[in-house]
Amino acid sequence: PLPSNNHSHGHSHSHNQISETEEQEHFQQVCRSYQQYATFHQTKEQGIQHRTYQLLLKSPYGDVSRNVNTPTIRSILPPALQPQSSGNAQYEKQQQLFYEATIRNQFFLDSILKYSGVETSQQVLRSVRSKNSHGNSGNNLSSIEWVTEEQISKVDSVLKSVARDWSDEGKVERGVVYDRIVDALEKYLPLSNGNDTNISDGNAAIKNDLNGPPRVAVPGSGLGRLAWEIFTRGYSTQGSDFSLPMLLASDFILNGSQDDNNGNFRRFAISPWLAETRNVMSFAHRIRPVFVPDVDPNSASRNMEQHRSYPPEFTMLAGEFLSVYSHYLPENQSCQQGCQSSKFHAVACSFFLDTAPSLPHYLLTIYHMLEDGGLLINFGPLMYHWSGHGTLLPSDMSPNTDANVRSNNHMSEKYQKRNAYLDSRYLSNIDYTWEEVRHMIIQCGFEILDEDTHISAPYTSDVEAMMKVFYDCVFLVAKKKVSA
């Protein structure tokens, strides 16, 4: 079960504390998006078929019988795209393969739902049809509360992230980012072969504090692979994420993929690129399966328990970063000694800092989360998830607007009305350059130990696609200075 409280993040929660009712409604909405996945994509495919019908019917060049020597729409379209052809084996085969791919993904999503104690897609359909049959409505599905395309797109992002974090195909992409972070952790916060930690004299503050394995926080941990990799190296690790669609999947992968019958872990075939219709080399590439997870997530825990007197811990938290960790801020600490003992020795960030609606607040929180001598390890771009909306436009200006902005008074009424629908985090976001971010990190009280820029890193990219997403990323290791 999920605790109460990547590069894909849900934006549906309010930045303020949400009520239990709102939280439950959001959970149900996410579950519905899981349940309705296959139906959405099958319906989408029906829409494409309809457009093909219209193309053949309305085009003056649609009838092949006009002149056998003249190319027509029908004659040039691949047979697999021609739904009107009776007994078209290629069309029927492609439709069957597409249907099987949607069911493959739905089975994986249903397994997540079942583990979370929620009705699967088939249970929902049976329930609806049972109710309709009693009301003599047959198989009418109009009573279902359908989710939006945007919500289904988040499920598509989950499947891509699962492939990135937990498949052989994602190994190269993980290696660019995760390996560099783990290597830095082992270099600047190394473990000895025994139960104690071998810390250099430069990190004497941490060495004196340690009681058990070093504690590492991994905020924005998504599907949990980076946090798991750090844990397998012997560090007590705490992952956290805000996106409920991601958390449901990571909880299942990490805790629910065990086969109760024989103790082995279960592997699932998924088609993570099914939703992609642009920059696709072939239909086969689009529906191809990958297998997840590529390793047994529980194997590390078993090995730790057998070979360590004080095995590291691995936990995952659900919640927005500031809500989860703001208790480390000085103004929120009621017991100085108790809070000090639970601080972290490192915070490892992968594609995380730019998810902040207010980056200075994130940096200050990270600073106070860390023990003296603790490490901030960061890898990622500056995409800024809360950017692009809420810009002040000339039409928002009034004679007093400029003076109000400069004096920190409220924006004009026009601006407020135009942006009333937006999450407040869009209105607080500021896009900083890396030079400015670096300055803030130093001013917080960090010493930069290692820095590298323009590292090309893919992100949930299909290796077979005609377009891939790459970022020029920054890698940074900084150490919290020892308090005077």
Side-chain angles (χ1 to χ4, degrees):
L2 285 170
S4 57
N5 319 18
N6 160 219
H7 203 49
S8 184
H9 296 262
H11 290 170
S12 43
H13 279 12
S14 167
H15 186 49
N16 300 322
Q17 192 70 26
I18 63 174
S19 69
E20 187 174 335
T21 301
E22 290 173 318
E23 188 170 321
Q24 185 61 31
E25 288 176 354
H26 178 58
F27 176 76
Q28 292 172 353
Q29 183 184 79
V30 170
C31 291
R32 284 197 299 273
S33 67
Y34 269 50
Q35 293 160 347
Q36 297 170 15
Y37 173 87
T39 303
F40 255 77
H41 281 293
Q42 290 166 10
T43 305
K44 181 179 178 181
E45 185 66 15
Q46 290 174 13
I48 296 173
Q49 293 171 24
H50 174 74
R51 293 182 183 186
T52 308
Y53 274 123
Q54 297 302 308
L55 175 67
L56 294 170
L57 289 173
K58 294 181 179 180
S59 173
Y61 302 103
D63 188 355
V64 73
S65 65
R66 289 176 180 268
N67 188 330
V68 293
N69 296 318
T70 302
T72 66
I73 298 296
R74 186 181 296 280
S75 70
I76 68 173
L77 274 181
L81 298 181
Q82 297 192 36
Q84 279 190 325
S85 302
S86 59
N88 183 344
Q90 293 185 47
Y91 171 78
E92 292 174 358
K93 176 69 177 298
Q94 181 157 306
Q95 290 303 304
Q96 180 63 26
L97 290 173
F98 179 84
Y99 175 80
E100 290 172 357
T102 63
I103 297 303
R104 186 156 52 238
N105 288 349
Q106 188 64 65
F107 177 75
F108 176 69
L109 296 170
D110 280 348
S111 298
I112 295 173
L113 292 169
K114 184 177 179 181
Y115 176 73
S116 301
V118 179
E119 283 187 324
T120 66
S121 62
Q122 295 306 300
Q123 289 173 322
V124 170
L125 286 175
R126 281 196 295 268
S127 176
V128 169
R129 286 166 179 164
S130 174
K131 292 177 182 177
N132 287 338
S133 64
H134 288 106
N136 298 318
S137 299
N139 288 332
N140 184 8
L141 302 181
S142 60
S143 60
I144 293 178
E145 184 178 349
W146 297 103
V147 297
T148 64
E149 284 185 275
E150 180 185 1
Q151 289 157 350
I152 293 296
S153 72
K154 292 180 182 180
V155 183
D156 291 323
S157 296
V158 168
L159 293 170
K160 293 175 187 176
S161 295
V162 170
R164 177 183 191 254
D165 266 20
W166 294 101
S167 76
D168 285 333
E169 192 169 296
K171 185 175 182 179
V172 173
E173 188 170 319
R174 292 194 302 271
V176 175
V177 184
Y178 297 172
D179 288 358
R180 189 180 286 259
I181 292 174
V182 173
D183 289 348
L185 193 61
E186 293 183 322
K187 176 181 178 180
Y188 294 102
L189 192 63
L191 299 174
S192 67
N193 294 327
N195 292 322
D196 297 326
T197 305
N198 180 19
I199 302 295
S200 65
D201 291 339
N203 259 333
I206 289 183
K207 187 172 183 178
N208 294 334
D209 164 80
L210 274 173
N211 181 18
R215 297 181 291 277
V216 181
V218 187
S221 53
L223 268 295
R225 184 61 179 258
L226 175 59
W228 184 84
E229 292 287 354
I230 292 173
F231 168 68
T232 64
R233 304 308 199 276
Y235 299 87
S236 284
T237 309
Q238 183 173 93
S240 61
D241 205 278
F242 176 60
S243 169
L244 186 52
M246 293 284 185
L247 286 163
L248 287 174
S250 65
D251 185 36
F252 174 71
I253 291 286
L254 292 168
N255 301 309
S257 59
Q258 197 75 13
D259 190 333
D260 294 333
N261 296 324
N262 55 27
N264 297 324
F265 73 103
R266 292 186 292 167
R267 300 188 76 195
F268 297 83
I270 62 172
S271 296
W273 317 112
L274 177 69
E276 298 302 316
T277 57
R278 294 174 294 181
N279 292 303
V280 179
M281 286 297 295
S282 72
F283 176 76
H285 286 162
R286 180 184 167 200
I287 65 165
R288 74 186 187 278
V290 300
F291 296 90
V292 296
D294 60 323
V295 294
D296 181 358
N298 293 289
S299 60
S301 297
R302 290 193 294 268
N303 293 336
M304 299 283 185
E305 292 169 359
Q306 293 173 5
H307 298 102
R308 289 179 176 269
S309 302
Y310 301 99
E313 297 179 347
F314 184 24
T315 56
M316 291 284 287
L317 299 181
E320 197 274 332
F321 176 70
L322 294 180
S323 297
V324 171
Y325 293 114
S326 62
H327 62 280
Y328 286 105
L329 296 172
E331 60 266 29
N332 296 331
Q333 291 188 9
S334 57
C335 53
Q336 189 72 16
Q337 186 63 34
C339 293
Q340 284 292 118
S341 64
S342 64
K343 286 190 173 184
F344 294 92
H345 304 101
V347 175
C349 302
S350 168
F351 285 77
F352 172 70
L353 288 184
D354 61 347
T355 68
S358 175
L359 185 51
H361 284 90
Y362 271 36
L363 294 176
L364 287 170
T365 302
I366 290 171
Y367 175 81
H368 288 291
M369 288 169 62
L370 288 167
E371 298 282 1
D372 285 348
L375 301 174
L376 164 60
I377 305 174
N378 173 68
F379 187 104
L382 293 176
M383 182 69 177
Y384 293 115
H385 288 224
W386 297 101
S387 180
H389 298 280
T391 304
L392 183 66
L393 302 178
S395 59
D396 298 322
M397 302 292 282
S398 64
N400 296 322
T401 298
D402 186 58
N404 288 338
V405 171
R406 292 178 183 277
S407 61
N408 295 322
N409 289 333
H410 294 298
M411 292 289 196
S412 69
E413 288 187 14
K414 287 183 180 180
Y415 174 85
Q416 293 179 26
K417 287 180 179 179
R418 187 171 61 82
N419 294 291
Y421 72 99
L422 287 174
D423 189 303
S424 61
R425 284 169 288 189
Y426 283 113
L427 308 183
S428 65
N429 176 76
I430 299 174
D431 297 343
Y432 300 96
T433 66
W434 173 247
E435 186 178 66
E436 293 162 346
V437 175
R438 190 180 189 277
H439 175 86
M440 288 189 284
I441 290 171
I442 293 172
Q443 291 303 114
C444 278
F446 286 100
E447 172 192 356
I448 294 178
L449 304 179
D450 193 2
E451 183 180 10
D452 198 1
T453 60
H454 299 291
I455 306 168
S456 181
Y459 194 83
T460 60
S461 290
D462 179 1
V463 296
E464 302 288 356
M466 298 169 68
M467 186 190 80
K468 300 171 181 63
V469 178
F470 282 83
Y471 293 97
D472 268 5
C473 295
V474 170
F475 172 70
L476 177 87
V477 181
K479 182 175 72 172
K480 180 179 177 179
K481 295 178 181 178
V482 178
S483 301

